Amino acid sequence: MPAEITTLLTFFGGTGDLAKRKLYPSTYNLFKKGFLQEHFAVIGTARQELTTGEFHEMVRESIADFVEDQANAEEFISHFYYIQQDITDSAAYADMLTLNNELDAKYGLKGNRIFYMSVAPRFFGTVAKYLKSEGLITENSEYNRLMIEKPFGTSFGTAEDLQNELSEAFDDAQIFRIDHYLGKEMVQNIAAVRFGNPLFDAAWNKDYIENVQVTLSEVLGVEERAGYYDTAGALRDMIQNHTMQIIGWLAMEKPASFKDTDIRAAKNAAFNSLKIYNREEVAENFVRGQYGESADGTQKKYLDEMDVPADSQNNTFVAGKLQFEMPRWEGVPFYIRSGKRLAAKSTRVDVVFKKGLNVFGGDVELANPVLTILIDPKGGIEFKINAKDVTSEFLTRVVNLNWTVSDEDKKLTPEPYERMIHDAMDGNGSNFADWNGVAIAWKFVDAIQEAWDATREQFPNYVSGSMGPVASDELLAKDGNEWVFKG
């Protein structure tokens, strides 16, 4: 049985879709595994009028697929409480404070509190301000922590304003910015593979790596998200957060230890060396795209999707090259791409190593060894290496050493939200974005968006069901490289 975590967990937006689909099941899994036992309570709060019984039924339905023992589930649900609340009204926090104190006494919670914001980002600062001004942040407890869903701002300026608001109530060490990609099992495997194997640890630099590629491709289009997506595009929706956080694990320096403070320091050493492009450099190093019809005509183009402006210049595809101005990565390009309506759904990392010195001569050709970490939809690790071909002549061929996550492993693997709620309870910030990384990612992305806003592109420029614009392939070809993943 793991050590019990003592906490009061408050979900703002407690009747929302995220709470029902992810947050309550994740919390229940922590209860089943013994991280939560007797000394915990959960508050859900929203504008909706609900009785305690109705709220319990909502939680009961949300965890139904995870229940193996009904008595166990009912014990879990008995720790749940609901408050109807207008989070923009300071007076509405008085009832919450009263309930917090009652639950603290009832369950022996030691004043330990986690506030989870599953609400619209415009309310983040307001809630944080009132948590402090209305006395909900305890002083003599082990911890008070704030968990925040993305997006953290829509630009560097808005992100900085939000950071300043939150900093009035919470120290940065108390703020846990969620990027659920960091909770994915195979993203966390990047560190295990890289630092756990001397072969890769020693070769993780410019002397042995030719380029690094990160792909986040989707087969779906904008679906019903046009209202949001047309203001964000792939650049803000996928690159600024998910992609850059994966890049952090790949580009970081070797940490002094595996403590969260050392991990963040190592990541920041890389983020702080990321080259921010001017307008001319954006044109040279980044490509944008917008999907057109599919080859068979069954998929309409982005401009014909519901609620998309007919003259939209929004990007549904981004490919680009990142450069880190640090000794480890001098001259090594990091290629990234993400887009909708592509040939295959895949989130993956491909680390392309340099070709070895050909001592064989003659007709022997050596390929670049490639280490691939498959993140979604199937997890796994592949390592393509040169080996001898089965012929009388001495020729080589590429063989693939691979491992795929088994069904049994999948059953044991925590869901990203389960892992992140646990880590916040445990005070482990390793898998959360810190302010420095968020700020640099926004500065980087803002420079690209500003350059794109100053020009118009002829859209659409790629066929739905392809792997994006031809210019994406040409971007790598200029450096003598090519995408490992062809779709």
Side-chain angles (χ1 to χ4, degrees):
M1 180 73 75
E4 180 183 15
I5 296 174
T6 299
T7 193
L8 171 59
L9 181 57
T10 299
F11 290 111
F12 291 88
T15 60
D17 182 61
L18 180 66
K20 290 184 282 190
R21 284 190 307 107
K22 298 291 186 182
L23 304 183
Y24 298 150
S26 294
T27 307
Y28 180 52
N29 284 337
L30 293 175
F31 179 75
K32 287 199 298 182
K33 293 175 181 179
F35 293 106
L36 300 176
Q37 298 176 27
E38 298 177 11
H39 300 93
F40 82 98
V42 180
I43 295 175
T45 180
R47 295 180 68 99
Q48 186 174 341
E49 186 174 340
L50 287 177
T51 65
T52 298
E54 288 170 335
F55 182 54
H56 281 184
E57 183 58 30
M58 178 186 294
V59 176
R60 191 174 290 114
E61 291 175 3
S62 77
I63 68 173
D65 291 342
F66 304 88
V67 173
E68 298 163 359
D69 179 339
Q70 195 60 48
N72 174 269
E74 292 305 317
E75 171 62 21
F76 171 73
I77 293 168
S78 73
H79 288 252
F80 275 67
Y81 299 81
Y82 183 76
I83 290 183
Q84 181 186 12
Q85 182 184 27
D86 177 0
I87 57 177
T88 64
D89 181 5
S90 62
Y93 289 78
D95 288 344
M96 178 174 280
L97 177 59
T98 299
L99 180 58
N100 275 211
N101 293 335
E102 289 174 356
L103 297 179
D104 199 59
K106 180 177 182 178
Y107 294 104
L109 304 180
K110 303 178 183 177
N112 296 341
R113 295 175 183 176
I114 293 179
F115 305 98
Y116 192 120
M117 294 206 207
S118 179
V119 294
R122 67 181 182 276
F123 297 124
F124 291 170
T126 301
V127 173
K129 176 179 70 175
Y130 288 145
L131 288 175
K132 183 179 176 80
S133 68
E134 305 311 307
L136 280 94
I137 299 176
T138 54
E139 294 184 0
N140 298 316
S141 61
E142 294 174 6
Y143 63 81
N144 280 246
R145 295 175 185 135
L146 187 68
M147 297 183 72
I148 300 177
E149 281 290 332
K150 79 173 187 75
F152 196 90
T154 57
S155 64
F156 171 71
T158 57
E160 187 176 41
D161 289 343
L162 174 56
Q163 174 67 14
N164 290 338
E165 284 186 275
L166 299 182
S167 296
E168 293 292 320
F170 293 88
D171 296 334
D172 206 51
Q174 296 176 298
I175 302 172
F176 290 71
R177 300 170 195 81
I178 296 169
D179 187 317
H180 71 274
Y181 271 62
L182 288 177
K184 290 179 179 287
E185 181 71 11
M186 293 310 299
V187 171
Q188 298 198 350
N189 252 293
I190 294 172
V193 172
R194 177 180 168 183
F195 301 120
N197 298 283
L199 169 68
F200 295 128
D201 188 22
W204 211 266
N205 55 57
K206 65 182 179 182
D207 295 330
Y208 297 98
I209 292 178
E210 190 162 282
N211 66 81
V212 179
Q213 305 177 15
V214 178
T215 297
L216 291 83
S217 62
E218 302 177 85
V219 295
L220 295 176
V222 68
E223 309 307 306
E224 284 88 37
R225 298 177 69 216
Y228 158 74
Y229 193 80
D230 200 66
T231 64
L235 183 65
R236 293 190 180 108
D237 189 48
M238 297 296 286
I239 299 298
Q240 186 276 332
N241 40 65
H242 306 321
T243 308
M244 294 299 288
Q245 291 302 322
I246 293 173
I247 286 287
W249 278 114
L250 296 167
M252 68 188 282
E253 287 295 319
K254 187 174 183 177
S257 76
F258 214 60
K259 294 180 181 177
D260 57 355
T261 50
D262 287 334
I263 289 171
R264 286 181 167 186
K267 285 184 179 180
N268 285 330
F271 281 134
N272 292 340
S273 73
L274 178 64
K275 181 176 175 60
I276 308 294
Y277 294 136
N278 60 34
R279 189 169 298 180
E280 291 73 25
E281 290 167 336
V282 169
E284 181 181 345
N285 293 293
F286 265 80
V287 170
R288 56 176 163 162
Q290 187 185 96
Y291 63 80
E293 295 181 354
S294 57
D296 61 7
T298 58
Q299 170 56 46
K300 57 188 173 185
K301 62 185 178 182
Y302 176 76
L303 294 176
D304 289 340
E305 298 276 22
M306 186 182 300
D307 298 328
V308 172
D311 61 347
S312 175
Q313 282 283 294
N314 186 39
N315 58 88
T316 66
F317 176 93
V318 175
K321 179 169 74 173
L322 280 61
Q323 300 173 65
F324 291 92
E325 298 177 317
M326 55 193 293
R328 178 184 294 273
W329 297 120
E330 183 181 357
V332 179
F334 282 67
Y335 300 113
I336 59 176
R337 61 176 168 172
S338 181
K340 291 190 175 296
R341 291 292 177 199
L342 299 182
K345 175 178 174 58
S346 183
T347 300
R348 57 186 284 151
V349 171
D350 295 292
V351 181
V352 182
F353 290 89
K354 294 181 178 181
K355 293 180 181 179
L357 178 65
N358 190 348
V359 299
F360 309 113
D363 298 324
V364 173
E365 292 186 9
L366 296 178
N368 292 88
V370 179
L371 171 67
T372 298
I373 298 177
L374 301 168
I375 299 169
D376 279 330
K378 68 172 184 176
I381 300 170
E382 298 177 351
F383 191 25
K384 294 183 173 67
I385 62 172
N386 294 289
K388 183 186 175 299
D389 200 0
V390 287
T391 60
S392 57
E393 302 174 85
F394 194 98
L395 299 175
T396 60
R397 62 175 173 175
V398 174
V399 298
N400 188 15
L401 312 178
N402 68 81
W403 165 78
T404 302
V405 177
S406 67
D407 291 339
E408 189 60 35
D409 280 348
K410 289 178 184 176
K411 292 177 184 177
L412 298 174
T413 301
E415 290 291 323
Y417 278 98
E418 177 188 338
R419 192 191 305 273
M420 302 190 91
I421 291 172
H422 169 269
D423 285 357
M425 290 176 177
D426 206 34
N428 182 355
S430 302
N431 298 303
F432 294 86
D434 80 337
W435 167 238
N436 183 77
V438 169
I440 289 172
W442 271 125
K443 289 177 182 179
F444 183 75
V445 162
D446 283 352
I448 297 166
Q449 189 64 56
E450 288 169 11
W452 286 350
D453 287 344
T455 60
R456 287 190 65 83
E457 185 73 48
Q458 187 62 43
F459 289 139
N461 63 352
Y462 70 95
V463 176
S464 285
S466 69
M467 280 306 290
V470 173
S472 170
D473 297 323
E474 294 173 344
L475 178 68
L476 274 67
K478 288 191 298 186
D479 298 332
N481 298 318
E482 62 180 0
W483 292 108
V484 172
F485 181 57
K486 309 296 184 185

